Amino acid sequence: MTSTATSLTRTVQAPGVPTVPREAFSRARVLIVGDVMLDRYWFGDVNRISPEAPVPVVHVKRNEERLGGAANVALNAASLGAQAGLLCVLGEDEPAERVVDMLDASGVTAFVTRDADLATTIKLRIVSRQQQLLRIDFENQPAREVLLAVLDQYRHLLASYDVVLLSDYAKGGLTHVQPMIEAARAAGKAVLVDPKGSDYERYRGATILTPNRSELQQVVGEWRSEDDLTARAQNLRESLNLEALLLTRSEEGMTLFTEGGALHVPAQAREVYDVSGAGDTVIATLAASLAAGVPLPQAVVLANRAGSIVVGKLGTATVDYNELFSELT
């Protein structure tokens, strides 16, 4: 790939971890829009192999339910103390009722539109001895008419929030993502997008995109070196008119690409237990920090720290204010 951003390959040194007053987070207002799902976990023991097929027999002992997708993003923002609003479409079924009940108890302000023809997305995970054996997904897509109604509601909600976060899980909730980005930017709001798929043109004009390594590779191809990565990432950022692109790199930390160059934040050494939902925590922390007035480089450092904490937990989980700043105060 030929770089059009050769002057932007310099690496900027990452700042230290800032301490943000709790009151700053309490004033932060983040509107989350996207695909909501219910994460169900069945925990059990495996003591034998089935005589019917060479598969383990799981004797289920307990189960848990957690908010997933955009709902987990909203929960993460609320856990930091931010004012989190969640705009989404759910079915008229039992899983939807569980999601609504859990949102009511979480401190998230939910703006829910119902679609009688939609089966609320469920991800069922079967776990034994802290290892996931199987995941079963139940899902379909919301009707176009329902999504248009959500778009109208979204435009009315913009004035009440500081930052917009679009959480795309490719379940149909962000069919109208481009007019959402345009409306938010016209209203002077920063727009953060957790992208999905290989068509990033639909995210044109967003403030920040936060792909992981495999997601970015789908769009720009394999890179051969750090310089090659920087050239490809900067070309993509410029071509989509983004202010920044934040690449999450698992054990390699994160790299923020802006007009000023590339800022790399190393991963913090922690035992990795489960990466499920880590991207939710990262983008929620980034959005809440920006809404709290934290400059982007420092917000990335906080997001990196939050991600390193949450991967030490099982399944979709959150990081609260005390955890984020426990070793800094």
Side-chain angles (χ1 to χ4, degrees):
M1 176 178 292
T2 301
S3 173
T4 62
T6 54
S7 64
L8 305 179
T9 58
R10 69 186 183 90
T11 299
V12 181
Q13 184 174 359
V17 182
T19 300
V20 183
R22 191 185 297 267
E23 295 74 22
F25 276 116
S26 69
R27 293 191 296 268
R29 303 175 301 170
V30 181
L31 177 62
I32 298 95
V33 188
D35 300 304
V36 166
M37 55 198 72
L38 179 63
D39 285 345
R40 284 182 162 155
Y41 295 83
W42 290 357
F43 297 94
D45 296 329
V46 175
N47 297 311
R48 63 192 179 96
I49 300 298
S50 171
E52 304 166 355
V55 295
V57 176
V58 182
H59 181 197
V60 176
K61 299 292 186 67
R62 65 184 179 89
N63 60 77
E64 289 183 15
E65 293 178 327
R66 302 180 189 179
L67 294 169
N72 185 50
V73 177
L75 183 60
N76 269 274
S79 295
L80 291 172
Q83 301 173 45
L86 174 64
L87 178 62
C88 63
V89 179
L90 296 174
E92 294 182 356
D93 50 17
E94 179 270 336
E97 297 305 322
R98 289 294 302 129
V99 168
V100 169
D101 289 345
M102 295 167 74
L103 287 170
D104 287 344
S106 70
V108 174
T109 302
F111 305 97
V112 178
T113 297
R114 299 299 189 107
D115 179 358
D117 296 324
L118 176 69
T120 300
T121 299
I122 302 171
K123 290 185 178 180
L124 171 60
R125 296 173 175 89
I126 300 174
V127 181
S128 178
R129 297 182 181 178
Q130 312 305 320
Q131 295 294 319
Q132 186 179 145
L133 302 180
L134 180 68
R135 195 183 90 185
I136 305 169
D137 291 2
F138 306 85
E139 63 188 44
N140 63 7
Q141 303 233 334
R144 181 174 177 83
E145 291 76 10
V146 177
L147 294 172
L148 287 172
V150 170
L151 181 58
D152 289 339
Q153 187 178 16
Y154 166 82
R155 291 189 173 112
H156 285 97
L157 288 171
L158 280 176
S160 300
Y161 290 89
D162 306 308
V163 171
V164 173
L165 194 167
L166 304 178
S167 180
D168 195 350
Y169 274 80
K171 309 301 182 188
L174 287 176
T175 300
H176 303 292
V177 65
Q178 184 54 222
M180 285 183 170
I181 292 171
E182 292 172 358
R185 296 314 303 271
K189 312 295 181 179
V191 182
L192 282 63
V193 182
D194 190 357
K196 192 67 68 177
S198 58
D199 179 18
Y200 278 19
E201 182 63 32
R202 60 200 302 263
Y203 306 124
R204 171 176 295 278
T207 308
I208 306 171
L209 254 60
T210 63
N212 60 32
R213 282 184 301 198
S214 62
E215 290 168 341
L216 186 62
Q217 283 171 352
Q218 287 184 55
V219 180
V220 303
E222 296 275 352
W223 48 85
R224 299 178 299 277
S225 65
E226 286 298 308
D227 285 345
D228 187 27
L229 165 61
T230 297
R232 292 170 186 258
Q234 292 285 29
N235 284 339
L236 179 65
R237 182 189 63 78
E238 289 183 343
S239 69
L240 295 178
N241 194 26
L242 309 172
E243 291 185 16
L245 188 150
L246 176 63
L247 173 62
T248 58
R249 309 176 67 176
S250 189
E251 73 279 359
E252 295 178 355
M254 301 179 183
T255 305
L256 177 70
F257 300 96
T258 66
E259 186 178 5
L263 182 152
H264 184 70
V265 182
Q268 297 189 14
R270 292 178 185 265
E271 183 177 356
V272 177
Y273 191 64
D274 190 341
V275 298
S276 301
D280 295 343
T281 299
V282 167
I283 195 169
T285 304
L286 185 67
S289 299
L290 292 173
V294 179
L296 179 57
Q298 287 83 359
V300 170
V301 171
L302 287 177
N304 182 64
R305 178 177 172 83
S308 73
I309 295 170
V310 82
V311 295
K313 303 179 180 183
L314 175 64
T316 50
T318 63
V319 174
D320 64 27
Y321 180 91
N322 291 330
E323 287 178 295
L324 188 59
F325 297 104
S326 61
E327 299 170 9
L328 304 176
T329 56

